[in-house]
Amino acid sequence: MGTKVRNLRMTRTKQSLIDAFIKLVNEKDFEQITIADLAEGAQVNRATFYAHFNDKYELLDYLVGDTASTAIVNRTKGEVEFNEEGITQLVLAICDFYQQPDVDCRRSYITLVVPQLKDKAISELKAYLLKALPSHCSADEIVLYSALIAQMIHESASQWASGNTALDKEDIAKKVALLVLHGFQ
């Protein structure tokens, strides 16, 4: 069998496992999902599951994957800027990121996935901010400020995503951008 056919088959199998996982998360709590459930849902055997993932946690991590990075790149068009527009787009990117998971909010999903989403979002924000912060800041200040601003951006998007504010995401993004930039004047 050719490499191209084998790669296509592996990609389809991995997607079948992801689809089975998403379907199962909508039906039962994460803790109750077994590898047998996932294999059955994807119409593969357990060994095939293990050829792709070590466990259901690795599958979940793969599913969350690079969506935070993708959301940031999509909103910023890959340009790294520390200005009102750049910060506004970071807040909107994290709002987009939280709209991505297409699963019902079952108890285990909230307790397991939301912290993982938060960690990924903050990590990607820090990486962006480390490149974007003004060069007149010292290295220590850049590390500190990137962590603080990433937390602020994340929290504002999280408040919006959870419905804890009546403000729309564009208003929140603009207010956070002004708040962040005011600290650098």
Side-chain angles (χ1 to χ4, degrees):
M1 176 179 349
T3 304
K4 192 172 185 178
V5 172
R6 191 173 316 131
N7 289 341
L8 181 60
R9 181 180 294 165
M10 288 187 74
T11 300
R12 285 184 183 157
T13 301
K14 189 173 269 193
Q15 188 59 51
S16 294
L17 290 165
I18 290 166
D19 293 344
F21 177 80
I22 291 170
K23 183 175 186 279
L24 285 166
V25 168
N26 284 318
E27 296 171 1
K28 57 168 79 172
D29 285 337
F30 182 83
E31 296 91 6
Q32 296 173 338
I33 296 173
T34 65
I35 302 305
D37 293 336
L38 291 164
E40 182 181 324
Q43 297 180 333
V44 298
N45 61 39
R46 289 172 56 95
T48 301
F49 174 89
Y50 288 115
H52 293 275
F53 302 103
N54 289 323
D55 54 29
K56 65 184 181 180
Y57 297 95
E58 186 177 320
L59 170 57
L60 176 62
D61 189 55
Y62 179 83
L63 183 61
V64 171
D66 294 326
T67 55
S69 177
T70 301
I72 290 171
V73 169
N74 288 344
R75 280 288 181 166
T76 63
K77 297 174 182 51
E79 296 178 21
V80 179
E81 297 178 327
F82 190 76
N83 57 26
E84 185 176 346
E85 183 61 20
I87 301 300
T88 298
Q89 292 307 314
L90 287 177
V91 175
L92 293 172
I94 302 306
C95 289
D96 294 347
F97 174 65
Y98 276 113
Q99 287 181 304
Q100 290 297 315
D102 185 26
V103 292
D104 292 335
C105 291
R106 300 184 69 80
R107 180 184 50 81
S108 65
Y109 177 77
I110 291 169
T111 59
L112 180 70
V113 177
V114 170
Q116 189 172 5
L117 291 174
K118 177 182 178 180
D119 291 346
K120 295 235 183 246
I122 290 173
S123 175
E124 291 300 324
L125 286 167
K126 282 183 191 177
Y128 179 96
L129 291 163
L130 284 171
K131 295 180 224 168
L133 280 163
S135 59
H136 67 272
C137 296
S138 72
D140 288 339
E141 288 174 328
I142 289 174
V143 170
L144 175 64
Y145 296 154
S146 67
L148 292 172
I149 296 167
Q151 290 286 342
M152 183 185 295
I153 290 170
H154 176 270
E155 185 60 28
S156 64
S158 177
Q159 290 295 312
W160 172 81
S162 61
N164 290 338
T165 180
L167 296 172
D168 65 32
K169 65 183 177 182
E170 287 78 13
D171 287 339
I172 293 169
K174 288 176 185 172
K175 289 178 186 308
V176 169
L178 292 174
L179 185 62
V180 167
L181 292 173
H182 181 70
F184 281 90
Q185 293 179 356

